[in-house]
Amino acid sequence: MKYDLIVIGGGPAGYLASERAAHARLSTLCIEKSNIGGVCLNEGCIPTKTLLYSAKLFDGAMHSEKYGVTAQGVSIDHTKVLARKNKVVKLLTSGIRSSLKSLGVTVATGEAVLVGHSDDAIRVRVDETEYEANDVLIATGSSAVVPPIDGLSGAIESGFACTNREILSLSEVPKRLVVIGGGVIGLEMASYFNSIGSEVTVVEMLDHIAGENDRELSAILQKNYERKGIRFLLNAKAQRVGDGEVLCSLGTEMLHIECDKVLLSIGRHANTAGIGLESVGVATERGAIITDSHMRTNVPHIYAAGDVNGKSMLAHTAYREAEVAVNNILGVSDEMHYDAVPAVIYTNPELASIGITEAMAESSGKPYRVVKLPMRYSGRYLAENEGGDGLFKLIVDAETQRVIGAHALCNYASEFIVSVAVMMEADMTLEQIKKVIFPHPTVCEIIREAIFQCDEQ
Ligand code: NAI
């Protein structure tokens, strides 16, 4: 059977591309080997946010005294939290299934393998069935990296260690949890399990948590969580996992950390193995598919979007890349920009960022200005965050008078960072931004304040 477009993978890049293509009247086949919605909906973005919201409510109730509210007998029931998480996931994935159906997308279940191409078609096989298409979009996503740490694969098999997938379905709350990797997944999960009562230790090999984020903000976030009881071991590397402990090196010292469960969150790699890339000649670099700004691979009519191209492993980047790919398939010129991709760690407080950091600006050698404001400048932040030590940083190109980076450590940051994305994508000058009216009182007024303070530097 021949289609206009075959999409391999039904995660954010795959399902969105299928929807957009079908909407533009391309006959579209979407092939998914597991669950429609991919990691994002089934074992990533959405389930974690469901858990973290319950934890936030619980934390709020537990610490309500400082707001004049006395709550008694407050507890959190992990089983009920999980049940609600499953309900939310089911609702969203069934919504996507029905949207694909109503748009006329054919959904096939199975593992797709590229088997070859001719002048006018690319061939894809699923089990015994072969399909053809004018264009193919590869959107097979990514998987957790499992490094060759002594004992780790056995520990994963036995259930002592787990990845982002299994941690979201743990029926029992571990008394002691060791998180290997203090990046996005590690911090979000450390936050949840800390809130619901686990003793959490984060083992991070760098001298800071939260990866590429602004160091000053990451350090404040770390202090917030240390106050809540999380132990951070920085410059520490896991060396062995098993027998109820994680052995990690800390300089010349070796530490035995006894625990009941280990979460491995040290990064993800593109899913490119076993999908037949060699048979059609699609080029990869460090395991990820090489794409240009139109999401084209080196092979005509084969595109790749989402985590599989390793550019920015975020669902919202995947959505946009999928749109760019479909537009180019339709002959509509469209290009991907990566300068204004927001990123959020949904801890409490949230850490949201976009563009470059102060350190990157400094090393670029170009003239720049930084405005650093305590979040207390925002009346609403002050009203809602007793004792809060959130911080906002704005980085501006001193020559072009454009915003080139923003970093916020505060609640609602995930919701308002998009306003900076709009400023950057629309290439607005500081003078143009000054004319934008921000609702008052809001936490995002901090951006307006920072824009005006740029002049005073
Ligand atoms: P990550 O790259 O964010 O963090 C991994 C951390 O592990 C790094 O800090 C690294 O230095 C550390 N590490 C590596 N090897 C280590 C070792 N042997 N011992 C100790 N530490 C070690 O990766 P993570 O958290 O697994 O997330 C994967 C991807 O999923 C990211 O690209 C992220 O963007 C995406 N994601 C995004 C979310 C969001 O947008 N809120 C939520 C969850 C995941």
Side-chain angles (χ1 to χ4, degrees):
M1 168 111 194
K2 187 165 177 189
Y3 290 87
D4 291 323
L5 175 65
I6 292 179
V7 178
I8 305 179
Y15 75 71
L16 193 89
S18 302
E19 288 177 350
R20 295 284 191 270
H23 192 253
R25 305 202 178 283
L26 296 184
S27 61
T28 306
L29 168 69
C30 178
I31 308 167
E32 167 57 57
K33 69 173 179 179
S34 175
N35 298 310
I36 283 286
V39 170
C40 167
L41 258 70
N42 295 286
E43 56 203 45
C45 314
I46 301 301
T48 51
K49 264 72 274 172
T50 315
L51 265 52
L52 286 166
Y53 184 67
S54 294
K56 196 170 171 181
L57 284 180
F58 179 57
D59 279 343
M62 292 291 282
H63 301 103
S64 57
E65 292 269 344
K66 55 188 175 186
Y67 299 97
V69 178
T70 307
Q72 278 165 351
V74 180
S75 64
I76 185 162
D77 184 334
H78 179 63
T79 311
K80 287 187 182 158
V81 174
L82 285 190
R84 181 169 171 274
K85 180 263 294 180
N86 293 338
K87 189 182 78 179
V88 170
V89 168
K90 202 167 162 201
L91 203 65
L92 282 170
T93 48
S94 54
I96 288 164
R97 277 195 173 277
S98 53
S99 156
L100 290 171
K101 193 172 171 196
S102 67
L103 284 162
V105 175
T106 307
V107 177
T109 306
E111 275 199 64
V113 181
L114 289 151
V115 285
H117 60 86
S118 53
D119 284 347
D120 65 342
I122 297 149
R123 289 181 291 123
V124 177
R125 197 167 54 222
V126 183
D127 301 323
E128 302 306 311
T129 313
E130 197 164 298
Y131 302 95
E132 285 188 337
N134 297 331
D135 293 279
V136 166
L137 175 70
I138 305 171
T140 47
S142 65
S143 310
V145 168
V146 180
I149 294 175
D150 191 18
L152 183 59
S153 43
I156 289 178
E157 263 167 45
S158 73
F160 175 54
C162 63
T163 67
N164 62 297
R165 174 176 297 170
E166 303 79 27
I167 193 90
L168 291 171
S169 307
L170 287 190
S171 51
E172 262 180 54
V173 179
K175 195 169 167 310
R176 297 157 306 174
L177 173 72
V178 169
V179 175
I180 305 179
V184 192
I185 295 178
L187 291 174
E188 291 186 0
M189 287 296 92
S191 170
Y192 176 71
F193 284 97
N194 165 257
S195 292
I196 68 167
S198 300
E199 255 173 54
V200 181
T201 303
V202 176
V203 176
E204 167 57 55
M205 70 177 189
L206 301 177
D207 64 358
H208 60 272
I209 59 164
E212 293 291 306
N213 274 286
D214 180 276
R215 296 290 160 79
E216 208 174 344
L217 271 66
S218 311
I220 301 173
L221 180 65
Q222 183 181 332
K223 281 210 182 79
N224 269 265
Y225 274 100
E226 279 169 346
R227 284 197 291 271
K228 292 180 187 180
I230 294 184
R231 176 163 74 135
F232 291 91
L233 298 175
L234 302 183
N235 299 304
K237 226 175 154 187
Q239 303 289 355
R240 198 179 66 224
V241 178
D243 302 325
E245 65 168 29
V246 173
L247 178 68
C248 79
S249 54
L250 197 64
T252 51
E253 239 184 295
M254 284 303 229
L255 275 183
H256 295 261
I257 316 164
E258 289 183 6
C259 58
D260 307 291
K261 191 64 81 184
V262 178
L263 168 67
L264 181 73
S265 49
I266 64 152
R268 300 180 66 81
H269 63 79
N271 290 332
T272 49
I275 54 170
L277 296 184
E278 339 56 67
S279 65
V280 284
V282 169
T284 59
E285 192 178 25
R286 277 180 276 123
I289 295 178
I290 301 169
T291 49
D292 65 10
S293 60
H294 302 276
M295 310 324 300
R296 293 179 295 217
T297 68
N298 61 312
V299 178
H301 300 286
I302 302 187
Y303 296 74
D307 288 10
V308 75
N309 64 36
K311 288 192 192 291
S312 149
M313 290 193 172
L314 296 166
H316 43 278
T317 308
Y319 285 145
R320 179 70 193 125
E321 288 178 341
E323 284 166 356
V324 170
V326 171
N327 281 337
N328 282 285
I329 288 166
L330 292 167
V332 178
S333 172
D334 197 2
E335 234 181 316
M336 189 67 202
H337 306 143
Y338 293 95
D339 295 342
V341 177
V344 180
I345 305 185
Y346 292 82
T347 39
N348 184 12
E350 296 169 344
L351 180 53
S353 64
I354 187 163
I356 66 170
T357 59
E358 188 175 1
M360 290 172 188
E362 200 179 333
S363 60
S364 75
K366 293 184 190 157
Y368 70 95
R369 264 176 287 157
V370 177
V371 177
K372 188 167 86 173
L373 294 176
M375 285 306 306
R376 292 190 300 273
Y377 270 70
S378 149
R380 179 152 184 218
Y381 178 84
L382 203 57
E384 295 184 3
N385 293 274
E386 190 59 42
D389 54 1
L391 193 64
F392 180 74
K393 268 192 196 183
L394 188 78
I395 327 282
V396 170
D397 184 316
E399 257 169 25
T400 64
Q401 298 289 297
R402 259 80 171 174
V403 174
I404 49 174
H407 308 268
L409 180 70
C410 57
N411 289 345
Y412 307 124
S414 57
E415 296 291 342
F416 70 67
I417 197 74
V418 68
S419 60
V420 183
V422 173
M423 293 167 197
M424 291 173 71
E425 195 58 44
D427 201 26
M428 292 172 79
T429 62
L430 297 183
E431 288 312 309
Q432 287 170 324
I433 301 169
K434 282 179 185 171
K435 293 178 186 157
V436 175
I437 300 172
F438 285 67
H440 176 77
T442 51
V443 176
C444 69
E445 282 177 291
I446 198 78
I447 301 171
R448 183 174 155 81
E449 185 63 38
I451 294 284
F452 275 87
Q453 289 213 8
C454 271
D455 289 343
E456 292 161 22
Q457 292 209 331

